């Protein structure tokens, strides 16, 4: 079984910063992608940023230049540094671990952490 534990959400004023953390445990293959998604009320879950074991980091256009994803593969951890936060960044943020099995994939999700940007 794979488990993801997130931390770091909260309430912040516009222009502020938050750092999200996520650590995975269990049977984790080295070929994987770790990332962050978010879901705002009434909207679909969307990719925020992803960091593959090899290859390029991906960011949503809406967060480029403001958010930075990083990972520590030895600790099976991924982080999201969020700067210059805007009210439209308000959402539940989910950590995602995508395990790669040849051409197949399996997604694992954290429980979600609320980020609220408001004055």
């Amino acid at each position: 079984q794979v488990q993801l534990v997130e931390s770091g959400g909260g309430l912040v004023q516009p222009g502020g910063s938050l750092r999200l953390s996520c650590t995975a445990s269990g049977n984790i293959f080295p070929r994987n992608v770790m990332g962050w998604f978010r879901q705002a009320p009434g909207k679909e879950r969307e990719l925020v940023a992803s960091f593959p074991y090899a290859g390029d980091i991906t960011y949503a256009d809406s967060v480029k230049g403001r958010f930075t994803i990083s990972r520590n593969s030895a600790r099976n951890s991924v982080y999201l540094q969020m700067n210059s936060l805007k009210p439209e960044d308000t959402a539940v943020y989910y950590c995602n671990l995508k395990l790669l099995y040849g051409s197949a994939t399996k997604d694992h999700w954290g429980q979600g952490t609320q980020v609220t940007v408001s004055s």
Side-chain angles (χ1 to χ4, degrees):
Q1 289 284 42
V2 173
Q3 288 188 321
L4 302 176
V5 178
E6 304 158 356
S7 62
L11 172 65
V12 64
Q13 292 186 341
S17 298
L18 283 174
R19 177 179 164 88
L20 305 182
S21 300
C22 173
T23 298
S25 61
N27 189 16
I28 300 167
F29 295 174
R31 294 179 68 245
N32 62 65
V33 182
M34 298 193 79
W36 294 92
F37 287 69
R38 67 185 181 187
Q39 187 167 18
K43 294 188 176 182
E44 293 187 355
R45 191 173 296 188
E46 63 175 0
L47 173 69
V48 177
S50 66
F51 198 139
Y53 75 101
D56 296 330
I57 293 172
T58 300
Y59 290 99
D61 287 342
S62 59
V63 307
K64 284 181 180 177
R66 301 188 298 122
F67 291 10
T68 302
I69 189 171
S70 59
R71 67 181 284 174
N72 184 327
S73 295
R75 297 184 177 182
N76 292 319
S77 295
V78 65
Y79 311 94
L80 187 67
Q81 178 66 44
M82 304 185 292
N83 299 328
S84 302
L85 282 160
K86 305 176 180 180
E88 51 264 43
D89 294 317
T90 296
V92 178
Y93 284 69
Y94 295 91
C95 178
N96 172 261
L97 171 66
K98 184 184 299 291
L99 298 180
L100 310 178
Y101 308 87
S103 61
T105 63
K106 182 172 176 62
D107 284 295
H108 299 274
W109 296 94
Q111 78 280 7
T113 185
Q114 177 70 46
V115 171
T116 302
V117 184
S118 175
S119 55

